[in-house]
Amino acid sequence: MAEELPNPRRDIPRAIFAQVSLGAITAFLYAVALFYAVSDLDEVINTSGSFPAAVIYRQATGNAGGAFCLLLIIFLIIMICAISTVLSLGRTWWALARDQATPFGDFFSSVNEQLSCPIPATILVGVLVTGLGAIILASGTAFNDLVGSFIVLCAFSYLLAIFPHLISGRKYTPKGDFWMGKYGFVVNALGCVLIVFFNIMFCFPYAMPVSADLMNYNSVILVGVLIIVTFWWLVYGLKHYPTPKVLTEAMK
């Protein structure tokens, strides 16, 4: 979606910074409000449901109707975010398909000009998301680990993007509007160290002794994704995936 912006080198970092900043502020204020709303902590901890916030809302409002209204607001927010997420993922898959980085790239790179939307890629993402969401019907442990693996996989993707630049001395990194010079090397190196540290921490089991229900499968998911991606890269990507134009120009 960065290609739809007039100046992505400047606008994307600003948007990310604004999103993270606003998210941190609102999350902090929301957490403070929740803590002040709790009148019976034991009831929240020992709730038999899977959504403790519902108990907190009931304690704060004093009745089930008020709790339902607050939960409805969260539900509507989640629905709106889910739609925007599917659309964003559809465009991401379309961009990868356009660069022949996915199976059936020619098909999924097509765009409906009337709707200005990559219909095949969006439908595929919707089907995949629905299938992954249905996993909870079979195993709550598998679903929770799958959802939690987003943190590990996302952080590892950052590592794959940053670490090669450190090895090459950042000489192939195009200088943008937020170029930090020599300080950027320190920030990137510190980021890689923190990513490795936190990924290791997130892969530890939830409790000891470890059982099938308490096992943390994030490491299994990470290794599985790496095997699949590496296999696809060796079989198809090396021959068909082009080098990004920005990186090619920087190397020249």
Side-chain angles (χ1 to χ4, degrees), residues 95-161:
L96 293 173
R98 180 195 57 186
D99 294 337
Q100 299 299 317
T102 68
F104 309 105
D106 294 334
F107 174 73
F108 289 113
S109 61
S110 61
V111 178
N112 187 304
E113 296 183 358
Q114 294 181 347
L115 300 177
S116 298
C117 178
I119 299 298
T122 304
I123 293 177
L124 174 65
V125 169
V127 172
L128 292 176
V129 170
T130 303
L132 294 175
I135 293 178
I136 194 174
L137 300 176
S139 174
T141 301
F143 178 79
N144 291 332
D145 285 335
L146 183 64
V147 173
S149 67
F150 166 78
I151 299 176
V152 175
L153 295 175
C154 189
F156 193 78
S157 68
Y158 298 154
L159 180 66
L160 294 179

Side-chain angles (χ1 to χ4, degrees), residues 77-90:
I77 293 175
I78 292 176
M79 290 298 297
I80 295 173
C81 291
I83 295 173
S84 63
T85 300
V86 170
L87 293 177
S88 300
L89 290 177

Side-chain angles (χ1 to χ4, degrees), residues 3-236:
E3 299 175 354
E4 302 177 14
L5 297 176
N7 191 348
R9 286 191 177 186
R10 180 192 62 193
D11 297 336
I12 291 297
R14 286 182 175 179
I16 294 175
F17 179 79
Q19 179 185 14
V20 173
S21 301
L22 292 176
I25 294 173
T26 54
F28 175 77
L29 296 177
Y30 178 71
V32 171
L34 284 182
F35 287 143
Y36 273 102
V38 174
S39 58
D40 187 350
L41 183 59
D42 292 333
E43 183 184 10
V44 177
I45 296 176
N46 300 320
T47 178
S48 58
S50 59
F51 201 54
V55 179
I56 299 177
Y57 291 157
R58 183 175 56 80
Q59 292 180 1
T61 59
N63 58 79
F68 174 80
C69 292
L70 293 176
L71 290 174
L72 180 61
I73 295 175
I74 294 181
F75 174 77
L76 295 176
I77 293 175
I78 292 176
M79 290 298 297
I80 295 173
C81 291
I83 295 173
S84 63
T85 300
V86 170
L87 293 177
S88 300
L89 290 177
R91 281 167 166 76
T92 302
W93 190 275
W94 164 80
L96 293 173
R98 180 195 57 186
D99 294 337
Q100 299 299 317
T102 68
F104 309 105
D106 294 334
F107 174 73
F108 289 113
S109 61
S110 61
V111 178
N112 187 304
E113 296 183 358
Q114 294 181 347
L115 300 177
S116 298
C117 178
I119 299 298
T122 304
I123 293 177
L124 174 65
V125 169
V127 172
L128 292 176
V129 170
T130 303
L132 294 175
I135 293 178
I136 194 174
L137 300 176
S139 174
T141 301
F143 178 79
N144 291 332
D145 285 335
L146 183 64
V147 173
S149 67
F150 166 78
I151 299 176
V152 175
L153 295 175
C154 189
F156 193 78
S157 68
Y158 298 154
L159 180 66
L160 294 179
I162 299 173
F163 188 67
H165 293 302
L166 292 178
I167 297 178
S168 62
R170 303 176 77 239
K171 60 182 179 181
Y172 299 129
T173 305
K175 296 182 180 180
D177 296 341
F178 299 92
W179 180 257
M180 300 179 64
K182 60 181 180 180
Y183 299 104
F185 186 89
V186 177
V187 173
N188 290 158
L190 181 61
C192 290
V193 173
L194 292 176
I195 288 173
V196 173
F197 173 76
F198 282 113
N199 272 7
I200 293 175
M201 296 298 295
F202 275 113
C203 289
F204 279 134
Y206 302 115
M208 296 294 290
V210 180
S211 63
D213 294 333
L214 297 177
M215 172 63 183
N216 187 342
Y217 292 95
N218 282 331
S219 58
V220 179
I221 296 174
L222 175 60
V223 174
V225 171
L226 287 177
I227 292 175
I228 295 174
V229 172
T230 303
F231 174 78
W232 180 251
W233 171 256
L234 295 176
V235 172
Y236 186 85

